[in-house]
Amino acid sequence: MKISKLTDSISLQRSVEQANVDHLTTVRQVIEDVQKNGDKALFAYTEKWDGAKLTSLKVTQNEIDEAFESFDGQLIQDLEEAATNIRAFHSKQSRQNIDFPLAKNSYIKYQITALDSVGLYVPGGTAAYPSSVLMNAIPALVAGVERVVIVSPPSKEGKLPASVLVAAKIAGVTEIYKVGGAQAIAALAYGTDSIPAVDKITGPGNSYVALAKREVFGKVAIDMIAGPSEIAVIADETAYADEVASDLLAQAEHDRFACSILITTSESLAEQVALEVEKQLKQLPREEIARASIENFGHIYVAESLEQAIDAVNELAPEHLEIITKNAEAVAEQVKHAGAIFIGRFSSEAVGDYFAGTNHVLPTNSTAKFSSGLCVDDFLKKTSVVYYSEEMWKEQYPKIARLARMEQLEGHARSVESRSWNKGDLN
Amino acid sequence: MKISKLTDSISLQRSVEQANVDHLTTVRQVIEDVQKNGDKALFAYTEKWDGAKLTSLKVTQNEIDEAFESFDGQLIQDLEEAATNIRAFHSKQSRQNIDFPLAKNSYIKYQITALDSVGLYVPGGTAAYPSSVLMNAIPALVAGVERVVIVSPPSKEGKLPASVLVAAKIAGVTEIYKVGGAQAIAALAYGTDSIPAVDKITGPGNSYVALAKREVFGKVAIDMIAGPSEIAVIADETAYADEVASDLLAQAEHDRFACSILITTSESLAEQVALEVEKQLKQLPREEIARASIENFGHIYVAESLEQAIDAVNELAPEHLEIITKNAEAVAEQVKHAGAIFIGRFSSEAVGDYFAGTNHVLPTNSTAKFSSGLCVDDFLKKTSVVYYSEEMWKEQYPKIARLARMEQLEGHARSVESRSWNKGDLN
């Protein structure tokens, strides 16, 4: 792993491939086809791309129950405990309406309501992470979304992974469809006979899925389109090199474009971590992926001071930040920008990825400067309500009319004045 | 104005022009030029497109003070009162950190912090609305954004409208630059010597500005790209036709693509409103614009019942909704989707456009189903924080490791287990 002195210019930018133009053409055709031909198009694409010849898209209650009964009991218990933790923390994020009384029996209000329906995309194969099912579905359900739907591509045998069905059941989702790719996104956005449309689509997916989400954005809402994952670790001489190395590698094993950065005030830790990374890499099942990530995007920086390290992290605004130093909590308080912060050596990122209760869908690529991880807010919307009584109107309308005329919007001025036209002695 | 019976299929969709490809090419060139040549490019474009030969972009305190002193005293007072109302209501939207204690001295937290910096685009000429300056700047300042910047294209004489400078001063913004168009957006996103970059850009603009915002999205955050404005009015036989007509026209005078819809249970009101619209149109300074809007997109629907009217509105999810009926508050409670609701005949939309305290930047084109008007939340971000004590880790890590292995992420499992490697009797 590369080691260098920390200078001013460090970055998370990775040269990720540009969107493939051929992919975009395909995606647009698929969306048009699903809009025109509905379920027929869904069955055809599922046969063509997933090799599954289906007669019905919806997963039956029977299939869900079977998956649950055949699944490892210990893992079910672990998933249930994780779900309980996630539900508990996200429930704290619920919002209250705001009532704001004005003079003369008037008021304004802020009405906070849940979206009606949300679709969650779950990738197929080895990327079907049950933890992501929990992290996406639970905030929507806590927000009060009445209809939460999962779509996921089936295997050749026409089945979804048991782990996905189990996680869905634990989260509380029972409307699940065997359809993936751009065709699933099109179905969620425009609706078919089998799959009524939803108002928002969340969840990760391959480049076809990401492109399709961009295409339907505006017709429905979408979550962020996340870039590859990343971690920054701030550590001083009190950190154990093997632990820091294992955390850097946990990030690197995600994919080749993942980015793991260590910023340390200890030159000796820097050297030991580099050795440990190499040692642990050789024993990692996903060595090839992790090695590519570490070689291309991994970096150890030696900082002159903790302050310099913190400044650099605030510039980076990393998705994940671990702080393994003396007085780690005090250091955390100086961090302004990060998706999630993990304090001390016993809070490795995996604690939050799976279990603590915080969300693992987080802003990547320095966007933590201005955006946040997935949360209950993402499934709520706010409507403002205005009520002016006659007395209030009488007092205020001349001001409103003057402001409208200042902007040369005479029609606006007349609309507030119209309440007195020919209606007796109102003004 | 067209009158028809309310059927199931009513819509706000307007065939708005597709993004102009030539415009996009220009916008991309401008952004590249500003990234490369900084202020030099800004001066050149400002001379080319605004006809102003500037030597400095920043508005001086002197210019702000002069604008203020020369401005109508009554209007200053009206703007100040509007700002006070907007500030009061938006202050109620402030958020608290969430502290969530766990067992064994552990905790998770949700840290809510303001963005560092925000840029507000203010269009030039007659579209320079001081009310929009208040509506965009105040929520950011209430959120706690330390640096709020305004950019706006200068006149040929190198000046900004006095009303914009006055509204900025009242809102509390003093960093103002004389630059508009795509070049202003590029400067805000990438920074120049005169204009340090910001983290988020909000505010309306012409098609060049909208395209530039889309292009820099990801480097910085942007607000929604709003479509043309719209209003739906639900009214029964208790409504006055002249008042309803004036409210429909206030919307229509905005632009040719604005959309005004009345849904009424009274056939006689429908007919009277149609006559009133024609009568009032002839006396409106912006008659030409309002007439085009009414003829192309205006519509009066006669509903069989109030329930049918409410269902239709929930399908429409209009930007603005006025309810002028008996028991208007009870009707409002049945509305699920709208940007803003105005209750009763004394709460015309202009009350909220200018004065009541709610925001006038609202979701258009049925997106109120899943999105909200501009608010304090738009200038806040949330960071989750996880702290596990040694005891907590010892109890929980086997579960976390099992969940990671279930997802075949061995590196994740090892990272939580590493805390016990060779370190004595921890597990």
Side-chain angles (χ1 to χ4, degrees), chain A residues 121 135-136 185 200-206 209-211 213-214 217 220-228 230 319-320 339-340 359-368 370-375 378-379, chain B residues 110 217-218 382:
Chain A
Y121 190 89
M135 293 292 178
N136 279 273
I185 302 300
K200 182 165 187 166
I201 303 173
T202 73
N206 63 20
V209 171
L211 283 170
K213 281 167 74 179
R214 270 188 210 277
F217 174 57
V220 296
I222 60 169
D223 59 350
M224 61 186 126
I225 295 186
E230 68 223 8
E319 182 188 15
H320 306 98
N359 208 290
H360 78 197
V361 181
L362 294 166
T364 57
N365 208 13
S366 301
T367 59
F370 50 73
S371 58
S372 312
L374 196 71
C375 62
D378 293 318
F379 301 100
Chain B
Y110 214 39
F217 174 57
K382 297 151 258 181

Side-chain angles (χ1 to χ4, degrees), chain A residues 19-32:
Chain A
N20 187 314
V21 177
D22 293 346
H23 286 199
L24 185 58
T25 309
T26 307
V27 161
R28 286 183 174 159
Q29 281 164 358
V30 169
I31 294 173
E32 216 186 297

Side-chain angles (χ1 to χ4, degrees), chain B residues 3 10 17 32 48 50 53 72 149 153 159 217 234 255 296 301 307 318 370 425:
Chain B
I3 304 182
I10 80 173
E17 328 89 299
E32 215 186 298
K48 184 175 169 191
D50 303 307
K53 212 174 154 70
D72 182 282
V149 176
K159 284 183 178 291
F217 174 57
I234 299 182
D255 79 73
N296 290 316
Y301 295 99
E307 288 64 43
F370 49 74
D425 193 23

Side-chain angles (χ1 to χ4, degrees), chain B residues 17 34 40 82 92 110 113 121 146 154 186 228 244-245 263 278 282 324 367:
Chain B
E17 328 89 299
V34 172
K40 214 181 117 190
K92 282 284 193 182
Y110 214 39
T113 49
Y121 190 89
E146 282 189 13
V244 172
I263 306 178
E278 187 49 39
K282 288 186 182 130
I324 309 181
T367 59

Side-chain angles (χ1 to χ4, degrees), chain B residues 148-419:
Chain B
V148 178
V149 176
I150 287 175
V151 292
S152 189
S155 66
K156 279 183 188 142
E157 296 73 36
K159 284 183 178 291
L160 296 189
S163 64
V164 168
L165 299 184
V166 166
K169 186 183 162 91
I170 289 171
V173 177
T174 52
E175 187 180 341
I176 308 170
Y177 298 98
K178 297 171 186 173
V179 61
Q183 62 274 22
I185 302 299
L188 289 173
Y190 293 99
T192 69
D193 286 340
S194 295
I195 309 179
V198 300
D199 294 316
K200 182 165 188 166
I201 302 172
T202 73
N206 63 21
S207 72
Y208 290 98
V209 171
L211 283 170
K213 279 166 75 179
R214 271 189 210 277
E215 287 295 304
V216 301
F217 174 57
K219 173 69 176 73
V220 297
I222 60 169
D223 59 351
M224 61 188 123
I225 295 185
S229 197
E230 68 223 9
I231 191 170
V233 180
I234 299 182
D236 64 11
E237 72 286 356
T238 65
Y240 290 91
D242 62 330
E243 298 177 4
V244 172
S246 72
D247 291 354
L248 298 175
L249 289 175
Q251 202 58 42
E253 76 173 344
H254 267 298
D255 79 73
R256 297 167 175 278
F257 288 97
C259 176
S260 304
I261 286 178
L262 166 64
I263 306 178
T264 177
T265 48
S266 162
E267 256 192 79
S268 122
L269 183 77
E271 282 157 21
Q272 289 174 60
V273 168
L275 292 174
E276 270 290 336
V277 162
E278 187 49 39
K279 186 175 135 196
Q280 292 180 29
L281 251 180
K282 288 186 182 130
Q283 295 153 13
L284 207 59
R286 294 165 75 105
E287 178 185 353
E288 200 195 321
I289 291 168
R291 188 176 291 281
S293 157
I294 290 288
E295 281 177 3
N296 290 316
F297 306 110
H299 214 120
I300 299 175
Y301 295 99
V302 179
E304 280 172 19
S305 65
L306 208 49
E307 288 64 43
Q308 197 202 10
I310 294 165
D311 287 348
V313 158
N314 279 329
E315 251 334 288
L316 280 187
E319 183 189 14
H320 305 97
L321 172 67
E322 289 186 358
I323 301 174
I324 309 181
T325 62
K326 287 189 297 276
N327 304 317
E329 286 185 279
V331 174
E333 274 167 25
Q334 295 173 69
V335 174
K336 288 161 69 185
H337 308 303
I341 302 175
F342 300 86
I343 298 178
R345 58 181 279 246
F346 295 104
S347 316
S348 55
E349 186 202 312
V351 167
D353 286 344
Y354 289 106
F355 201 74
T358 52
N359 208 291
H360 77 197
V361 181
L362 294 165
T364 57
N365 208 13
S366 301
T367 59
K369 281 190 187 166
F370 49 74
S371 58
S372 312
L374 196 69
C375 62
V376 170
D377 281 340
D378 293 318
F379 302 100
L380 297 175
K381 61 199 168 63
K382 297 151 258 181
T383 301
S384 43
V385 180
V386 176
Y387 171 72
Y388 261 30
S389 65
E390 181 170 356
E391 296 67 36
M392 187 71 165
W393 165 80
K394 216 189 259 185
E395 188 174 281
Q396 310 294 4
Y397 85 83
K399 305 170 192 170
I400 299 168
R402 281 196 296 265
L403 289 168
R405 291 204 169 93
M406 169 187 66
E407 295 187 348
Q408 294 172 278
L409 292 173
E410 179 65 24
H412 283 61
R414 291 185 190 174
S415 77
V416 278
E417 289 172 343
S418 70
R419 274 59 188 172

Side-chain angles (χ1 to χ4, degrees), chain B residues 119-137:
Chain B
L120 160 55
Y121 190 89
V122 179
T126 54
Y129 293 136
S131 61
S132 291
V133 172
L134 302 183
M135 293 292 179
N136 279 274

